[in-house]
Structure formats: structure tokens, C-alpha cells
Amino acid sequence: MREMMRDYLKNNDISIKDGTDVNSIMRDMMSVILEGALDEELDEELGYSKYDYRNKETDNSRNGHSNKTMHTSYGDMDVAIPRDRNGDYEPQLIKKYQNTVTQDMEEKILSMYAVVFMDAIHYHVRSEGRIVKRAVYIALGIDMNGKKDVFGMYVGENESAKFWISIMNGLKNRGVEDILIACVDGLNGFPQAIEAVYPKTEIQQCIIHQIRNSTKFVSYKDIKKLMADLKLVYAAPTEETALNELELFKDKWESKYPKIYKSWHDNWTTLSTYFKYPEAVRRLIYTTNAIEGFNRQLRKVTKSKTVFPSDDSLLKMLYLATMDITKKWTGHRQDWGQIHSQLEIYFEERLTGRNL
């Protein structure tokens, strides 16, 4: 199915002009998820997987697929329903005479994310005879099963609360019901936007980016000692200890590097979120490494293109690259069991009654 989607985009000159067009492809992604789940249902019915003939203990077998058109809030989509040779298999996820994907089903596919990472990657694009710089803003989420996925890709020029609120509303309209924690790289306007759409979401600003940005002009002879003192702040066991260490840092370094203390002090609300959580959750959210790793893979694919002829061509290449990258994301974090149990405690009221 992924190959078909890639070929369709390549061969049919699909126009992808902005983030809204990319998001419209969500129904195709949904069909991939549904078809995978239906194939697993048939595996369970037959008692063996598609290529595992050695464990076959039945005279029944697979017999191709039948196409079915399903109505969704994203528009109609075709789903390949697997068949068995004896006709014993009755799909449970999509019933025999069902032709609509219910809102409840959509919400189960795109309902809740434990952690969302937001970051930007920059490219050069031709626009009206000039070469301009474009920022592609990417949203990567980890759901409550520990599975990560890219669920948003948006081209923009300037970050602002208005820009981000349109993205947050887009996620909300597509069925992302709640976000527990959002990890960002100091994106302008993002805290105000997410508060307006997801008022209960906690925001964690990337500590690694904060360190890089606040120490890039420190003298070589000072950097080692200054970093050691700064580590006492961000690696402190509690927020109270961190604040005490930050004041000591101020006393020692403010006269020489006044902007460092000011930056940490002014951004403390979003820098210090991770202190309230145990170690496993802290490791997950205090840096945007998860999305930076994804961005590095995108750069490998696009490195031969110094300038893209249009925003449309840029998004096409990034979308196809994303399909190739994410198909390998089949597992979850090794420590997800521990993280999940801790999130259940910290967000008990918001998670009560959900299928996690």
C-alpha cells in the first residue's frame, strides 16, 4: 500500500501546496492502519501468519482481498478486506455491511498522544524568481502505546502565535483529542497557541538547545568551568535545588555573561517542566532528540537538492521520505512500560476511561 501511495504521488502530479494538503492524505494513512489490523485479524483466525506455513494447522488459507469503499470524516477511502478460501472469516474491525468509519474508530486511530515533539528544518526554495528560505515545521508524536509517528508537516516563513494556532486547530479537527506533554525548541508563539487549543498540555523547552543557544559566545577558556556550573542547574535532582544552583551561577558568571542567566531565568517556566517527573520520563522529554533524529534522516534524502523549484516539490519529497522512514518504526521504546505507568499516575484524571 505504501508503494502504491508513493507511485500515485509520483505518477499523478499530486499538488501539495501547504500543510493542509499534506494532512488530507491522512485518510490514505488510515487505510494502511486498517488494512494492517484486518490482516492481523485473519492471521488470528487462521492460526498462522502469512508466510509461516510450517505452523499451519488448518485446511483454510488466504484468498486475496476484496475492495470496500469506506466513508470517513476525511472523505471516502478504499480498504482492501482480506478473504479466506473457506469463507469462515468475518471481519470484526469493519463489519460485513459496514461502510462508515465511525468517529469513535477515527479517534482510536488518532486520539491521544503522550508526548509531541515540534521542531523545524530549513530549506531553500524558488519563489517568484527569487531563492527564499522556507521552514518546514514537523510534529512528531508518541502515543500511549509507545509508538511514534509523524502527524504534521507544515511550510511557513515566520513563526507566530497565529501560525501555530492554525496548526493546533488542525490537529484538533483531525481527532488528536489530547496532548499530555509538548517538547519544543523555543518556537515563537507556540506556548500561547497550544494553551489556547490544548490548555492542559505541559510544555517542555529543549534543554540541549537552551544550552547551545546560551553558551555559543562563551570564551574557550571559560567554557569548561561554565558548563560544569550550568550542569548543576539542569541535572539537579529537584527544581528547588536547580533554582538555588541557578542563583549561584548568576553570582559567579553574570558580570561576564549576563545574557545566560537572563535567558534561563526568563524561560524557566518551560525549561523546568521535567523536574516534576521521574527519571524515565525526564529522559524522554527534556530534549527534542527524537525529532532531531528524524530530521537528520530527512536531510540525508534531500542533501543532493540545494534549491527546490517550489514549495510543492519540497513537500512531495519530504512526504515520500517520511513514508520510507516511518515504515521502519514498528516497535516502541524499551522503557515504555515504566514511562506508561508513570504517565497513568501523573495524568490519571485525563486518562480515566480511555483505551490505552
Side-chain angles (χ1 to χ4, degrees), residues 233 236 238-248 265 268 275:
V233 178
T238 66
E239 183 177 2
E240 181 181 5
T241 303
L243 285 170
N244 289 334
E245 294 294 345
L246 185 59
E247 291 306 310
L248 293 174
H265 179 269
W268 188 253
F275 281 113

Side-chain angles (χ1 to χ4, degrees), residues 182 184 186 191 202-208 210-211 214 229-250 259-277 282 285-286:
V184 299
E202 297 194 352
I203 299 171
Q204 173 63 55
Q205 189 171 329
C206 178
I207 296 296
I208 302 302
Q210 174 68 13
I211 293 170
S214 59
D229 291 337
L230 199 55
K231 186 176 181 180
L232 295 175
V233 178
Y234 65 81
T238 66
E239 183 177 2
E240 181 181 5
T241 303
L243 285 170
N244 289 334
E245 294 294 345
L246 185 59
E247 291 306 310
L248 293 174
F249 181 92
K250 174 186 177 182
K259 290 186 177 180
I260 297 179
Y261 170 81
K262 186 179 188 306
S263 177
W264 283 77
H265 179 269
D266 292 351
N267 294 294
W268 188 253
T269 299
T270 54
L271 286 171
S272 61
T273 302
Y274 71 106
F275 281 113
K276 69 176 69 175
Y277 298 107
R282 288 192 187 192
I285 70 172
Y286 90 112

Side-chain angles (χ1 to χ4, degrees), residues 77-140:
M77 69 179 183
D78 291 327
V79 179
I81 309 292
R83 300 178 301 196
D84 66 318
R85 194 163 298 280
N86 294 349
D88 297 332
Y89 169 58
E90 289 285 346
Q92 298 302 305
L93 183 61
I94 298 177
K95 302 292 185 180
K96 188 173 183 179
Y97 298 106
Q98 179 182 348
N99 62 6
T100 300
V101 177
T102 64
Q103 182 178 354
D104 179 63
M105 188 184 297
E106 288 184 4
E107 287 180 354
K108 286 181 179 179
I109 297 173
L110 297 170
S111 61
M112 166 156 304
Y113 284 84
V115 183
V116 170
F117 298 86
M118 305 289 287
D119 199 6
I121 185 170
H122 297 87
Y123 293 96
H124 288 96
V125 175
R126 292 189 185 277
S127 177
E128 298 179 351
R130 298 183 301 117
I131 296 177
V132 297
K133 193 172 185 178
R134 289 283 194 258
V136 179
Y137 300 95
I138 298 170
L140 182 150

Side-chain angles (χ1 to χ4, degrees), residues 163-336:
F163 169 79
W164 283 113
I165 203 167
S166 67
I167 292 177
M168 293 298 105
N169 282 326
L171 296 180
K172 189 81 169 180
N173 293 335
R174 281 167 41 205
V176 179
E177 188 175 336
D178 197 3
I179 297 172
L180 303 183
I181 305 169
C183 307
V184 299
D185 174 20
L187 300 171
N188 294 329
F190 182 81
Q192 300 93 315
I194 200 167
E195 184 178 355
V197 182
Y198 296 102
K200 294 182 179 180
T201 296
E202 297 194 352
I203 299 171
Q204 173 63 55
Q205 189 171 329
C206 178
I207 296 296
I208 302 302
H209 279 86
Q210 174 68 13
I211 293 170
R212 291 173 185 166
N213 292 337
S214 59
T215 61
K216 59 185 175 182
F217 297 120
V218 173
S219 169
Y220 176 77
K221 63 185 179 66
D222 292 331
I223 190 66
K224 188 173 181 179
K225 292 180 180 178
L226 185 143
M227 284 297 299
D229 291 337
L230 199 55
K231 186 176 181 180
L232 295 175
V233 178
Y234 65 81
T238 66
E239 183 177 2
E240 181 181 5
T241 303
L243 285 170
N244 289 334
E245 294 294 345
L246 185 59
E247 291 306 310
L248 293 174
F249 181 92
K250 174 186 177 182
D251 294 341
K252 185 173 181 179
W253 296 103
E254 188 179 33
S255 60
K256 195 167 188 179
Y257 302 108
K259 290 186 177 180
I260 297 179
Y261 170 81
K262 186 179 188 306
S263 177
W264 283 77
H265 179 269
D266 292 351
N267 294 294
W268 188 253
T269 299
T270 54
L271 286 171
S272 61
T273 302
Y274 71 106
F275 281 113
K276 69 176 69 175
Y277 298 107
E279 185 62 27
V281 180
R282 288 192 187 192
R283 288 196 303 269
L284 174 66
I285 70 172
Y286 90 112
T287 174
T288 55
N289 279 347
I291 196 168
E292 286 188 20
F294 172 71
N295 287 348
R296 281 194 295 272
Q297 294 181 75
L298 289 181
R299 289 190 183 97
K300 288 181 181 178
V301 176
T302 59
K303 64 181 179 181
S304 61
K305 281 274 191 181
T306 55
V307 179
F308 285 85
S310 65
D311 291 350
D312 184 20
S313 63
L314 169 60
L315 276 172
K316 276 186 180 180
M317 178 170 279
L318 292 180
Y319 175 74
L320 294 172
T322 297
M323 293 295 291
D324 283 328
I325 294 168
T326 56
K327 71 181 180 182
K328 301 173 185 176
W329 294 352
T330 56
H332 54 71
R333 289 176 61 100
Q334 291 183 340
D335 56 353
W336 188 254

Side-chain angles (χ1 to χ4, degrees), residues 33-49 62 82 89 147:
I33 296 171
L34 290 174
E35 287 173 352
L38 288 167
D39 284 337
E40 289 181 6
E41 273 190 9
L42 184 55
D43 287 349
E44 187 69 23
E45 172 78 18
L46 297 176
Y48 70 99
S49 61
R62 289 164 181 78
Y89 169 58
K147 301 291 182 65

